[in-house]
Each structure stands twice: as C-alpha cells, then as structure tokens.
Amino acid sequence: MSKVYRVYVEKKKAYGVEANELLNNIQTQLKMSNVTAASVVNRYDLQGVSEDVLKQGIPTILSEPMVDDVYQEDFPKNEDEAIFAIEFLPGQYDQRADSCEQCFAILTGNTSAKVKCARVFAITFAGNKDDVLNKIQGFLINPVDQRLASLDKPE
C-alpha cells in the first residue's frame, strides 16, 4: 500500500464566508450566544499519489492559494476549541472526493489516486462542552447521508 497524505484547507479569515455564516446560524437559529468563533476546514486524505504530484495538486486541485491556508498532516488548533469532523456515509456519493480523484487522474495520466474528504469544524465557546457539541452536531449532520468522522489519520 502507498502512503496516505493528509491535507487541511481553510479559507483565510478575510474570505471565511462559510465560517461566518455558520457562526451566525449557531448564534441565531440555535440561540447559542456562548459560541464565539467557528472555523470550517476541508480535510483530504489522499493515497496513490507521489509527494511530487501532491505538491503540484495542492495549489491547483485542493486549494486556491490566494484565499486558502493549507496545512499538511496536522491542523493547528487552540486548547479552547472543540474539534469534530463530518463525512459522508460509506456508499454515499461524495462529489468533492470524486472531483479530486478525476483531477489527479488528469494531472498524472492514471487513476490510482484515492481521495476521502471530510469537513472539520472548530468551535470556540463557553459552557458545557457535551451539551454545546451535541446541539451543533445535531444541527449540522444529516443522518441520512452523513456521520461523525474520526479525527485519526488512516494508515
């Protein structure tokens, strides 16, 4: 088996429209004024590509260099943030992963690249961690096609 690479892509704060919308929705729809910050990060686990191909693919396939911050292998987090990830259930179509695989196939000329995607959420709040996270996860996860994803990197 080939190595699994993990890449995190987050919009820079000035372009974080989705994170700002999420924070606003949590504060207004869930009435949770104790939530003070939210971040949305796309996580990619890639297998079947070389390190050189990955370096070519990061600024062209996985991110937009002008508006995204990219982290390889580890995502920097604060101690006061609660982190969780959401992924599609096995068997559900993941358009982001499929598009990445197709783009890497065009880049390399072969179809060996396998990509798994997840959305990572970093939430900063005051109060009981379990109550707040359960409410936010229930708001974000559609149980028909999504589930909580492991934060551990696959081997």
Side-chain angles (χ1 to χ4, degrees), residues 85-142:
I86 298 173
E87 67 183 357
F88 283 103
L89 290 169
Q92 290 292 327
Y93 179 67
D94 185 350
Q95 182 177 352
R96 184 180 299 271
D98 185 43
S99 297
C100 288
E101 287 177 4
Q102 290 179 33
C103 290
F104 276 105
I106 291 169
L107 182 64
T108 62
N110 65 45
T111 58
S112 64
K114 298 296 175 214
V115 180
K116 286 196 68 158
C117 297
R119 308 277 302 209
V120 177
F121 298 91
I123 310 292
T124 305
F125 58 89
N128 185 341
K129 180 178 181 177
D130 293 333
D131 291 343
V132 171
L133 280 183
N134 287 337
K135 208 171 194 184
I136 293 172
Q137 289 169 354
F139 178 71
L140 293 174
I141 297 173
N142 178 355

Side-chain angles (χ1 to χ4, degrees), residues 17-107:
V17 175
E18 186 178 8
N20 292 336
E21 181 180 358
L22 173 64
L23 178 61
N24 183 50
N25 287 342
I26 290 170
Q27 290 175 338
T28 56
Q29 293 179 21
L30 296 179
K31 299 186 181 358
M32 300 177 78
S33 57
N34 59 335
V35 176
T36 57
S39 297
V40 180
V41 182
N42 291 314
R43 182 184 78 192
Y44 302 93
D45 291 328
L46 298 100
Q47 185 177 22
V49 296
S50 68
E51 198 165 338
D52 292 336
V53 170
L54 178 66
K55 285 182 181 177
Q56 287 179 334
I58 287 175
T60 57
I61 298 170
L62 302 178
S63 70
E64 299 173 89
M66 297 299 290
V67 298
D68 290 331
D69 289 325
V70 176
Y71 310 98
Q72 290 185 333
E73 301 305 323
D74 292 317
F75 177 69
K77 56 188 173 209
N78 298 331
E79 289 180 13
D80 47 334
E81 286 181 327
I83 308 255
F84 64 94
I86 298 173
E87 67 183 357
F88 283 103
L89 290 169
Q92 290 292 327
Y93 179 67
D94 185 350
Q95 182 177 352
R96 184 180 299 271
D98 185 43
S99 297
C100 288
E101 287 177 4
Q102 290 179 33
C103 290
F104 276 105
I106 291 169
L107 182 64

